């Protein structure tokens, strides 16, 4: 369960009442029974689940969704719609527990309802994003990146949560090549056997032959050629103002963009209420809705379940391909 001050409790309850989600995987829910009860009340659903205390042994195959009740958040202490340490601590502790279960092999995938980064920073001052938090929590030293997934279209990015002025200096042939490999592997893990990846240019008109910058000539094109030599199905660089048009009509399965908003704006315009964020590259899939905690509608029963449902189904599909039918 994510931030208790936002729509996370409501979304968690909606997922537990969703027939498609329940059929896709055996589900363990980590949180507080009181917060979940409030979420179910807001969502207007009756929950058919089992519950164990935080330290109790877990069944290998729960027949119904199972709440692991950590008993660590009284809803009365959390003000809906506001950034708070209580909301951030609740999400942080739940996430740590979920990651520990995945590392221990107790689950095959992790999903979380939305976090709020400002609230997380009140608990962990150095918190930057879920990628860095996860890597530190599980002792991971490899390459992991965020992917956005919507209606079969994937968006990957070479740089993410960095100032725009630093993007060009962070682009190298090797970093782009590494991200193309990671994108190919993530797509394959999701069931796309022969991924087609478009690479977005950095500059307007793909640099227009060097008139608007040389990154396409000196960095991006060499990376694409190196990837092709390694049998990665990719092409580009393409102007970023048209590449998503081509991808959406079916020319490509994914677009690798050079910076955060270059792809995020396009994907969220295509379908804000259905997009999924996948943290790829870790030993197990980690998924969430691409939207945030929606403090403005917290507690009102208005949370749209589409993106979170898609996140749960993607995590279950990837887990089943890699680990069989164990709990997810």
């Amino acid at each position: 369960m994510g931030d208790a001050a936002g729509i996370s409790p409501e979304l968690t309850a909606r997922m537990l009442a969703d027939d498609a989600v329940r059929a896709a995987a055996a589900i363990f829910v980590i949180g507080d029974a009181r917060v979940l009860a409030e979420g179910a009340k807001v969502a207007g659903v009756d929950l058919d689940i089992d519950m164990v205390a935080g330290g109790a042994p877990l069944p290998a195959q729960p027949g119904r969704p199972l709440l692991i009740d950590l008993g660590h958040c009284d809803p009365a202490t959390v003000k809906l719609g506001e950034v708070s340490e209580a909301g951030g601590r609740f999400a942080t502790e739940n996430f740590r527990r979920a990651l520990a279960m995945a590392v221990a092999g107790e689950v095959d995938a992790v999903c979380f309802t939305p976090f709020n980064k400002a609230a997380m920073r009140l608990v962990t001052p150095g918190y930057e994003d879920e990628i860095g938090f996860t890597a530190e929590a599980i002792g991971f030293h490899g390459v992991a990146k965020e992917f956005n997934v919507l209606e079969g279209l994937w968006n990957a990015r070479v740089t993410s949560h960095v100032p725009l002025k630093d993007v060009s200096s962070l682009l190298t042939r090797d970093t782009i090549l590494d991200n193309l490999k990671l994108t190919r592997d993530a797509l394959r893990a999701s069931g796309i056997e022969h991924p087609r990846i478009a690479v977005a240019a950095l500059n307007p008109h793909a640099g227009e032959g060097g008139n608007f910058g040389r990154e396409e000539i000196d960095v991006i094109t060499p990376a694409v050629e190196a990837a092709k030599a390694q049998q990665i199905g990719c092409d580009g660089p393409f102007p970023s103002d048209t590449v998503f048009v081509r991808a959406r009509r079916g020319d490509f399965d994914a677009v690798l963009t050079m910076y955060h908003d270059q792809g995020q704006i396009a994907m969220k315009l295509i379908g804000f209420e259905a997009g999924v964020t996948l943290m790829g590259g870790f030993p197990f899939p980690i998924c969430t809705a691409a939207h945030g905690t929606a403090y403005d509608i917290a507690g009102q029963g208005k949370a749209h379940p589409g993106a979170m449902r898609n996140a749960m189904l993607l995590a279950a599909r990837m887990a089943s391909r890699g680990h069989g039918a164990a709990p997810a």
Side-chain angles (χ1 to χ4, degrees):
M1 298 182 70
D3 191 337
I7 60 173
S8 284
E10 177 188 348
L11 281 178
T12 303
R14 290 190 185 280
M15 293 304 98
L16 293 173
D18 188 297
D19 290 340
V21 171
R22 290 172 67 106
I27 301 169
F28 292 138
V29 186
I30 303 172
D32 188 298
R34 297 166 294 180
V35 176
L36 182 57
E38 288 294 319
K41 182 178 178 181
V42 170
V45 298
D46 294 320
L47 297 182
D48 178 28
I49 64 173
D50 294 320
M51 182 172 65
V52 297
L58 303 176
Q61 283 289 343
R64 298 186 294 177
L66 181 71
L67 170 64
I68 302 171
D69 182 15
L70 301 185
H72 58 326
C73 185
D74 182 350
T77 66
V78 179
K79 188 169 183 179
L80 290 180
E82 292 188 4
V83 173
S84 68
E85 182 178 352
R89 188 171 302 282
F90 177 71
T92 299
E93 292 178 5
N94 294 338
F95 195 32
R96 284 191 185 278
R97 177 65 180 266
L99 294 173
M101 291 176 67
V103 169
E106 296 175 316
V107 297
D108 294 319
V110 171
C111 280
F112 57 90
T113 46
F115 297 159
N116 181 282
K117 289 182 173 59
M120 302 291 265
R121 289 189 190 104
L122 293 176
V123 181
T124 307
Y127 188 93
E128 181 176 305
D129 56 26
E130 286 74 54
I131 295 279
F133 182 92
T134 298
E136 182 177 351
I138 71 173
F140 179 79
H141 301 291
V143 177
K145 288 292 180 72
E146 274 189 8
F147 297 89
N148 290 104
V149 186
L150 176 65
E151 299 174 359
L153 174 60
W154 290 57
N155 170 222
R157 51 187 183 260
V158 180
T159 67
S160 189
H161 299 122
V162 300
L164 190 58
K165 65 181 178 61
D166 295 338
V167 169
S168 179
S169 65
L170 295 172
L171 299 179
T172 69
R173 172 189 173 279
D174 288 343
T175 57
I176 295 170
L177 178 58
D178 287 344
N179 277 276
L180 283 167
K181 292 176 182 176
L182 183 59
T183 302
R184 175 202 58 193
D185 294 345
L187 286 160
R188 284 180 174 173
S190 76
I192 301 172
E193 298 297 339
H194 302 289
R196 300 162 301 158
I197 306 168
V199 179
L202 174 68
N203 296 300
H205 303 176
E208 204 171 80
N211 288 328
F212 302 147
R214 292 193 56 85
E215 286 86 356
E216 287 75 20
I217 296 170
D218 297 338
V219 180
I220 303 176
T221 296
V224 171
E225 294 304 317
K228 288 180 177 179
Q230 296 184 30
Q231 307 305 310
I232 296 173
C234 63
D235 206 355
F238 299 108
S240 61
D241 59 352
T242 57
V243 66
F244 279 92
V245 176
R246 294 188 58 184
R248 196 180 182 197
R249 74 187 183 197
D251 292 357
F252 302 101
D253 301 300
V255 179
L256 177 66
T257 52
M258 297 299 112
Y259 60 92
H260 185 279
D261 287 357
Q262 192 178 34
Q264 287 282 79
I265 292 171
M267 295 293 282
K268 290 186 177 181
L269 279 172
I270 292 169
F272 182 73
E273 293 181 334
V276 173
T277 296
L278 163 71
M279 294 160 55
F282 289 116
F284 44 87
I286 305 173
C287 294
T288 189
H291 58 70
T293 46
Y295 282 159
D296 58 320
I297 59 169
Q300 299 177 31
K302 297 179 180 179
H304 194 288
M308 199 64 226
R309 179 189 296 115
N310 290 341
M312 295 285 286
L313 296 178
L314 176 61
R317 185 167 71 248
M318 294 181 73
S320 67
R321 285 177 60 84
H323 301 283

